[in-house]
Structures are given as structure tokens and as C-alpha cells.
Amino acid sequence: MSEAPRVALFVTCLVDLFRPSVGFAAVKLMQDAGCTVEVPEAQTCCGQPAYNSGDRKDTIAIAKQVIAAFEGYDHVVAPSGSCAGMIMKHYPELLADDPDWETRATDLAGRTHELISFLTDVLKVENVAAAFDGTVTYHDSCSGLRELGIHDQPRQLLDGVDGLHLRELEDANVCCGFGGTFCVKYPDISNRMVSNKTEQIVATGAETLLAGDMGCLMNMAGKLQREGANVRVRHVAEVLAGMTDTPAIGEPSDGSAN
Amino acid sequence: MSGSTTRNFKANAARELANDTLRAALTKSKGHFTDGRTTAAENLPEFEALRDQSRDIKNHTIENLDFYLEAYEEKVRESGGHVHWARTAEDARQIVLGICRSVDAKAVNKGKSMISEECEINEMLEANGIRAVETDLGEYIIQLRGEKPSHIIAPAVHLTKGQVEESFRANHTHLDPDRVLEEPPTLLDEARTILRKKYFEAEVGMTGANLLIAETGSSIIVTNEGNGDLSQLIPKVHIVLASVEKIVPTLEDASTILRVLARSATGQEFSSYTTLSTGPKREGDPDGPEQYHVILLDNGRTDMIGTEFQEMLRCIRCGACMNHCPVYQSVGGHAYGWVYPGPMGSVLSPGLLGVDEAGHLPNASTFCGRCEEVCPVRIPLPKMMRNWREQEFEKHLSPGTARVGLGLWAFMAKRPKLYQLATGLQMRLLARIGHAKGRLSSLPLAKGWTKYRELPAPEGRTFQSRWKSGERPL
Ligand code: SF4
């Protein structure tokens, strides 16, 4: 590439708030692949909580704010299939009645990518220089899988991680029961769904569970821990970036993070 | 509408979740349907193209619904049959009753029909002293048990073999206690023995229709037991009760749709029996009914035309969406509280019952998208569930506490500086509380979450504040 692509990181609200490590891992992966990464300041959330609650007006306001904040970058990348899917598939539809904004939304949608598929499909990364000793299993988050077709990409990169062994999860394509506000609006149903999931995770015998979306990861980690299962949970970017010194999701820290 | 407990979805779901037998039954059937569909789809290279064609056929028909319905009516008349229009379920009940009375019917043999469930035909018949005999094995079983179907193609999918055997022994009192009734074939045999006798007793046979064909005035039913054929051939009168959107223009169109129907439903290439019926018995026909009636039910469907829910009228009732739905597979069909469960019900029921009654259903979805992925006529089910949520939000039907929470969140999300300040503080606080364990086991405002799981504690400062203070990956 002649000039380093200028990439804006859409960090996503959950990574921003709960797991900054994933943001830094994303930045590292993209920098290693030759990108200049920036983090636009005017970002909060992609608007899905409002969108999925039927609050169209607030969703549109948030979408416009995101569109404005991310104008001018070669690419916009999110470490989440769900948030990337929101921008890529739903913003243009939401703004379809407003020609100016629709054009801007479509332009942003065309420049937006989910992190792992951005690495493999756009930057043509074939191998990451990372090592991870152990057996992992992988859950395909719904939006990434079904809205964006992300399935092979993470497996391809994980395959190149030294010492890592991937054991496939049965029903890896079935929802974990997170569903944003669903998990607190219908806790009993969500619980059944996540219990089915953790049962299958434990059955793989893997020590670590990986996925590409913080919401699903927090849901599955929280359930595994409540059940006392001996499985660590991480965002796939952490492993690919070789940044696994931080405690896994929901595990006690060594006290230096504050 | 009477009989709906959709409003109580949450309580219904809690009850069903506690039912271990249901869980066992659902676990058993799930893989059968989903693996079957996957294999059937993979084995037919043109499957995806057929889905597109089926979608287009249905779209075209719905856009010209009056034209094709009138053409159909004319053909039915030409073949000697009668067409009755029912605007409402009550209209349909009255028409059925009128026909039954005209032949002094004591019993009605019934093929499986969801429209009959929607119109509560059995209840009406019984109230008027007419026996309703369900002839589909699944329907027969739940009739014995006094239950409602829990699935649109597999009405008794919520039951285990053991429960079925129990019901047979309780009702078929002639049964030798030593007779083995453990496997589906032996159960089917037993049901057949009883039903065969009944076929010859009824004056009226009633079926639904999977498709109605405008070109020929025929109706089609597909079954795996052949029960529908006997129900409609033997009695004097055959009533077809179908909703208006079942119509397709031509036989060719019907065959396109049939090629995706069974594959999506059960993974079969074709159902065991595909039966066309056109008018009453003609001169020289060896058998067939003397009278042939078609009742075309609207019951709110045409009101969906021209709205964002029009595409729902493409549904061919294959059941694939519920077979693949993790929510349906968790709570089963009865939790939905009315005739149509699963994703298709979550879109259709608010349309037919009103969003005030069925408002929970479109909310009880994670939008995982599996239903849309498998729907043979590519109905964007999640999108339409979201449309219902938008209507609820606009009508202020969503719960007040949720609205306040969402409003507050949206207020912040639209103000990045304030948002970052507030969330920065909150996360540091949460991180401090959860510091020792790395997680929180209870949190007042997140009870729905912490009732069942730990809440992973935030790492500490937010990504944005760390980035702003110059931190970069090593
Ligand atoms: S919505 Fe689609 S998948 Fe569900 S029953 Fe109807 S046609 Fe089948």
C-alpha cells in the first residue's frame, strides 16, 4: 500500500466502558497491519439500545452524530459485528427518507468494517504474530455471522496463532441469549439460552472461550462464572494481538488497573 | 379475541421454562427439524433460487389479491363448488355451522388446520352438539388431552412419547394393558384403528389448505398421514377453511412453493401426501363429496396490506422459523398464548389480535436473525418485530421504567462530552466495587442480569479516557 490507510476506531460502548483492553488490541492489530489509527472523540454508542426498543427518533439522532464524527476516514472499524452491522446495514435504512443523510449514511456504511473481517478481507492479513498456549472454542455472534457473513475470518487468523488449538463449539451459530436489552427484559428466557450455551462450551473441554462481541462475551462469562465453570473468556482480538496478560473478562485484576 | 393469553407471555414463559418434560420433548425434536432442513437445502442446488421465486410469486399475488381471489371464486363455481367470504372468525363460525346444520351433521372429521384453531371451530361445534374429530395424529393427541397445538405443523411437539401413551391408555379404554405402545408407529396404528371407524360416521369433512390455485379453483393440502384425504373424500360435504393469502395464480406457482415447503418444514423433499381437490364429485368419479364449500377468511389480514407488515402475508406456514428460534425452543409454543407461536406468530399475532394484546411477542426476541435466514419466502421477521416495537413505543405501550431508563441513556448518548464524563465516573466506581473478584454478583439496577449471572466488572478507566491521556498499545 502506498500510503497508510487512515482508520477511525469505533470502539463501541461496551469495550469503552468495560473492556478497554479490546480497544488497545484492535489498535495494535491494525497498526501492525500498516494502518494509522485514530479515535474520534465524539463517539458514544451506535444507537442499538434505542433502535431495538422502538425509539426511532433517538436512534436517528445518534446515527447522525456517528455519521458526522466518522466522516473523512478511509475506514471505520469496530471490534463488534453487532455495532458494525448497525452502521453498515441499518443506518442507510433508517435515514432512507432524507436524501442528504442517506447519502452520507451509505457512504459511511461502505467504509465501515468489523475488526477481524477488516484485517482478513480488506488488509489481506493472513497471519498474526501471536502465541497463545491452550485450547480455545469460538462462539459466532449473531449479527456478525448473519448480517456480515463473518465465520471463516476469525478461524483463519486463530489458525496461525502459535500454540493455540481450536475446538469447535456445537451450535456455535445459535444465539447466546444476550440480545441487548432482551437479557434484562426477559431474564428467565435469556437464562435458559445462555445455560444451553455454557453447557456446550463446557462440553468442548476448552479452557478459553473466544468471540468477537463484548455483549455476548459478558453474558457468557457472567454465566460461566456464576456456574463456577473453569473457562476463561476473552475477545478474539486480545488473543490475536497477543495481549493476554490482562485478566480474562470478569476475573480479578492484579490491582494496577485503577 | 377470546382464548388468547398472549398478554401473559412472561408468566406463561416462566411456567413453561419450569417444565422439564417440555424441555426433553423440545430437545428431541429440535435437531431433527434443523438438521433435516439443512440437508434438504444443501441437496437441492436451486433451493435458494426457488426461495426467491416463491417470495416473488407471493408478492405478486398479494399485490393483486382481489384479482386472483375473484378468478379463484369463479373457477370454484364452475366446478360446482361454493365460495363463502368470512370477514371475521365469527363469520367463519356461522358459515360452518350453517353448512353443518343444512345436512343435519352430528360429526365433523377434521384435517389439520390452523385457521380452524384461529376461528375456534371445534369449540363452536361442540357448543352446538356437533362432534369434532381431529384426524391428524398430533391434533388427535392434543384433542384427547384437551390442549392446544404448540406448533403450526407439529401440534404435539411439546409432548414426549410417554405422555402420548398415557393419554391413549386413559382414553382408549379397550386397550390391553400389555399391548406395547411405546414407539410412534404403534401409537399411530392405535390412533388409526380408532379413526378409521370414525371416518365413516361423519357427515362433514373439513380441511385447511396449504395453497389455493386461482387458475383451476383447486385447494391443496399436504400431509404425512393421508388423514386429510379420508377426511375430505368420505363425508357428504367437504368444507375447505382457508385464509385469503393462501392463494397463488397457477399450478406451476404452487409446485414452486411446494418444493420449498416440505424441505423447510421437516427436511422432506415432499410431504407423503399432496392432495388437490377441485369441486364436488363429478359424474363418473368413483368417490368424493356431494358438496364442496370454500370459506375464505380475512380476519384482519387485508388490513396488513399497504402497511410495513404486508410481507408477513407471504408466510406459507412451514414452521422453519420456530424450529430455528432459540426463544421458541426455550419456552415452547404454548407460552405465546395464541394460535401462532414463534417468530411468525410474533409478527402475525399483533396484527390479528392488536399490539396491545400481543405486544410482548415482538419484544421477546434477541434479533438473532436465524428465522429470517431460513424462511423459505424470505420474510424479514426481525425487521417487522422491530416495527411493532416502534408502534408500541409511539403508543407509549412500553413499560414506564424502561422508557425513563432509555430516555436518560439516549439523552447522554447524544451528548458525547457529558456521556464520557458520567460513564468514566460510573465505570471507575463499578471497577472499585468489583475490584477484588473482578465481577459483581448483585447490583441494584441490574437485577435482571445478576439474578442469573455475574456482571464482569469494568477494567477501570474507560478506553476513551485512557486514549485521551496518551496511552497506546505497546
Ligand atoms: S414466517 Fe417463514 S419460516 Fe416462518 S412459518 Fe412462515 S414461511 Fe415458514
Side-chain angles (χ1 to χ4, degrees):
Chain A
M1 240 170 276
S2 51
E3 221 177 294
R6 205 169 140 247
V7 177
L9 177 69
F10 184 83
V11 71
T12 78
C13 57
L14 289 178
V15 166
D16 179 40
L17 304 184
F18 282 88
R19 193 98 181 136
S21 309
V22 176
F24 288 110
V27 173
K28 176 166 191 301
L29 283 165
M30 293 191 282
Q31 282 177 345
D32 287 355
C35 302
T36 309
V37 182
E38 295 174 35
V39 180
E41 268 191 41
Q43 57 177 305
T44 58
C45 169
C46 67
Q48 275 189 87
Y51 189 41
N52 292 339
S53 301
D55 178 0
R56 208 177 166 87
K57 208 170 123 235
D58 278 321
T59 314
I60 289 176
I62 294 169
K64 287 182 175 172
Q65 182 179 300
V66 172
I67 292 167
F70 287 85
E71 230 138 40
Y73 294 95
D74 296 331
H75 303 286
V76 175
V77 174
S80 153
S82 167
C83 312
M86 176 71 185
I87 298 175
M88 294 163 72
K89 304 285 168 184
H90 299 279
Y91 279 11
E93 212 178 285
L94 269 164
L95 294 162
D97 293 339
D98 188 333
D100 281 354
W101 277 104
E102 192 199 9
T103 314
R104 293 171 74 182
T106 309
D107 172 68
L108 173 64
R111 289 181 289 119
T112 301
H113 311 270
E114 176 278 338
L115 173 68
I116 310 302
S117 52
F118 177 64
L119 295 173
T120 57
D121 303 352
V122 179
L123 300 176
K124 307 290 177 201
V125 173
E126 285 174 3
N127 229 315
V128 290
F132 185 83
D133 257 333
T135 305
V136 306
T137 191
Y138 186 85
H139 165 74
D140 294 287
S141 293
C142 299
S143 311
L145 179 69
R146 278 178 276 269
E147 284 188 335
L148 309 179
I150 298 165
H151 177 269
D152 296 346
Q153 298 91 328
R155 289 171 176 80
Q156 178 201 326
L157 293 185
L158 287 171
D159 197 38
V161 174
D162 261 358
L164 180 145
H165 176 69
L166 175 71
R167 206 172 285 158
E168 285 292 349
L169 175 64
E170 201 188 324
D171 287 342
N173 64 349
V174 175
C175 180
C176 71
F178 173 63
T181 52
F182 172 84
C183 68
V184 288
K185 276 200 285 190
Y186 298 94
D188 301 337
I189 305 174
S190 172
N191 178 49
R192 170 58 54 80
M193 290 162 71
V194 71
S195 304
N196 291 344
K197 183 58 74 180
T198 52
E199 196 180 313
Q200 288 171 318
I201 293 167
V202 171
T204 63
E207 299 118 31
T208 304
L209 165 72
L210 304 176
D213 266 272
M214 264 325 277
C216 319
L217 285 163
M218 287 174 64
N219 180 39
M220 294 183 289
K223 189 67 194 175
L224 286 163
Q225 283 157 354
R226 178 63 60 89
E227 289 172 339
N230 196 16
V231 181
R232 303 275 163 275
V233 181
R234 288 184 186 278
H235 191 288
V236 63
E238 300 172 38
V239 170
L240 295 176
M243 293 168 67
T244 50
D245 289 343
T246 46
I249 296 169
E251 297 299 330
S253 70
D254 57 9
S256 60
N258 271 345
Chain B
M1 197 159 302
S2 63
S4 155
T5 64
T6 299
R7 204 179 272 277
N8 306 333
F9 174 77
K10 264 191 158 175
N12 293 350
R15 180 192 69 225
E16 300 297 313
L17 283 166
N19 180 346
D20 290 338
T21 328
L22 170 70
R23 193 173 182 199
L26 287 173
T27 310
K28 194 132 193 283
S29 68
K30 183 188 80 173
H32 164 73
F33 284 133
T34 53
D35 297 351
R37 183 212 169 261
T38 309
T39 315
E42 279 168 7
N43 287 344
L44 187 69
E46 64 269 38
F47 187 70
E48 294 305 316
L50 286 170
R51 288 175 70 184
D52 290 340
Q53 287 171 26
S54 300
R55 175 198 57 204
D56 297 346
I57 290 168
K58 293 292 283 187
N59 276 347
H60 168 83
T61 317
I62 293 158
E63 275 155 26
N64 301 281
L65 192 62
D66 45 355
F67 173 79
Y68 286 112
L69 285 171
E70 278 166 26
Y72 170 78
E73 181 179 25
E74 204 174 309
K75 284 288 166 191
V76 174
R77 292 233 161 94
E78 275 174 27
S79 64
H82 307 272
V83 174
H84 311 259
W85 300 88
R87 267 195 70 76
T88 62
E90 177 55 21
D91 290 351
R93 285 191 287 267
Q94 289 310 322
I95 297 165
V96 172
L97 185 61
I99 298 171
C100 288
R101 284 196 169 143
S102 72
V103 294
D104 200 17
K106 305 280 181 306
V108 176
N109 280 349
K110 297 188 64 223
K112 205 183 98 49
S113 156
M114 293 314 291
I115 302 299
S116 165
E117 296 290 342
E118 181 179 330
C119 297
E120 299 179 326
I121 297 292
N122 288 8
E123 288 81 348
M124 179 279 291
L125 289 173
E126 303 286 345
N128 286 282
I130 303 169
R131 216 158 19 99
V133 183
E134 292 290 353
T135 63
D136 170 89
L137 179 60
E139 288 283 349
Y140 177 71
I141 294 166
I142 57 167
Q143 195 186 22
L144 284 184
R145 297 173 63 89
E147 292 179 350
K148 294 272 180 197
S150 69
H151 189 289
I152 60 172
I153 67 155
V157 72
H158 59 286
L159 299 172
T160 58
K161 281 184 307 201
Q163 288 174 301
V164 176
E165 181 179 351
E166 212 177 88
S167 307
F168 274 27
R169 294 212 186 272
N171 288 276
H172 298 186
T173 41
H174 63 280
L175 274 174
D176 176 352
D178 293 335
R179 178 152 167 222
V180 184
L181 270 185
E182 274 166 4
E183 289 307 313
T186 50
L187 290 168
L188 186 58
D189 276 352
E190 173 55 21
R192 277 210 172 120
T193 319
I194 299 281
L195 287 170
R196 287 278 148 119
K197 275 187 258 156
K198 294 194 175 164
Y199 280 128
F200 294 93
E201 292 168 11
E203 297 82 359
V204 175
M206 195 168 147
T207 63
N210 292 90
L211 295 158
L212 302 170
I213 301 161
E215 179 185 36
T216 60
S218 314
S219 66
I220 296 189
I221 54 168
V222 299
T223 72
N224 280 321
E225 296 158 23
N227 61 301
D229 299 25
L230 294 175
S231 306
Q232 70 188 39
L233 279 177
I234 300 172
K236 261 199 308 230
V237 178
H238 177 197
I239 301 176
V240 177
L241 176 58
S243 50
V244 286
E245 84 283 9
K246 292 280 150 51
I247 190 91
V248 293
T250 65
L251 270 172
E252 191 63 37
D253 296 329
S255 80
T256 302
I257 291 173
L258 287 173
R259 294 185 73 196
V260 296
L261 176 59
R263 286 182 168 89
S264 303
T266 53
Q268 291 166 289
E269 287 176 3
F270 235 66
S271 303
S272 310
Y273 299 86
T274 299
T275 310
L276 280 90
S277 55
T278 317
K281 181 174 169 177
R282 294 161 303 186
E283 281 223 9
D285 280 352
D287 45 30
E290 288 162 24
Q291 293 180 32
Y292 180 80
H293 296 268
V294 182
I295 302 171
L296 292 173
L297 176 77
D298 182 345
N299 210 22
R301 286 165 175 79
T302 52
D303 292 342
M304 292 166 84
I305 296 177
T307 72
E308 62 258 67
F309 304 107
Q310 175 169 330
E311 290 180 273
M312 192 59 218
L313 299 177
R314 289 206 297 266
C315 175
I316 57 173
R317 305 290 190 271
C318 71
C321 54
M322 55 200 77
N323 295 339
H324 290 78
C325 174
V327 173
Y328 175 94
Q329 293 300 330
S330 297
V331 300
H334 287 152
Y336 293 79
W338 197 52
V339 190
Y340 301 108
M344 58 82 65
S346 299
V347 176
L348 188 62
S349 299
L352 303 185
L353 295 173
V355 70
D356 319 22
E357 173 65 25
H360 262 302
L361 305 189
N363 280 286
S365 162
T366 62
F367 289 155
C368 81
R370 258 186 125 199
C371 49
E372 181 175 3
E373 187 181 31
V374 298
C375 174
V377 284
R378 303 196 193 281
I379 299 176
L381 295 152
K383 180 180 141 213
M384 288 193 278
M385 287 185 228
R386 188 182 286 110
N387 289 336
W388 281 124
R389 294 185 193 183
E390 282 167 6
Q391 287 206 6
E392 286 177 84
F393 189 84
E394 274 155 31
K395 288 188 184 169
H396 290 260
L397 288 173
S398 28
T401 44
R403 291 183 76 88
V404 173
L406 183 70
L408 207 63
W409 171 87
F411 179 86
M412 304 287 283
K414 288 184 284 188
R415 292 166 178 78
K417 287 226 163 61
L418 187 62
Y419 173 92
Q420 278 154 25
L421 186 71
T423 54
L425 288 169
Q426 281 163 10
M427 290 308 120
R428 292 180 73 164
L429 182 67
L430 272 186
R432 197 153 299 156
I433 304 172
H435 176 65
K437 273 171 77 186
R439 50 191 185 252
L440 298 110
S441 299
S442 73
L443 195 67
L445 287 171
K447 276 203 196 103
W449 180 284
T450 53
K451 182 172 175 200
Y452 292 115
R453 11 171 146 53
E454 306 286 297
L455 179 68
E459 290 182 316
R461 287 174 60 200
T462 65
F463 176 83
Q464 296 201 66
S465 74
R466 283 165 68 179
W467 181 266
K468 226 183 285 175
S469 46
E471 188 176 336
R472 296 294 179 266
L474 298 174

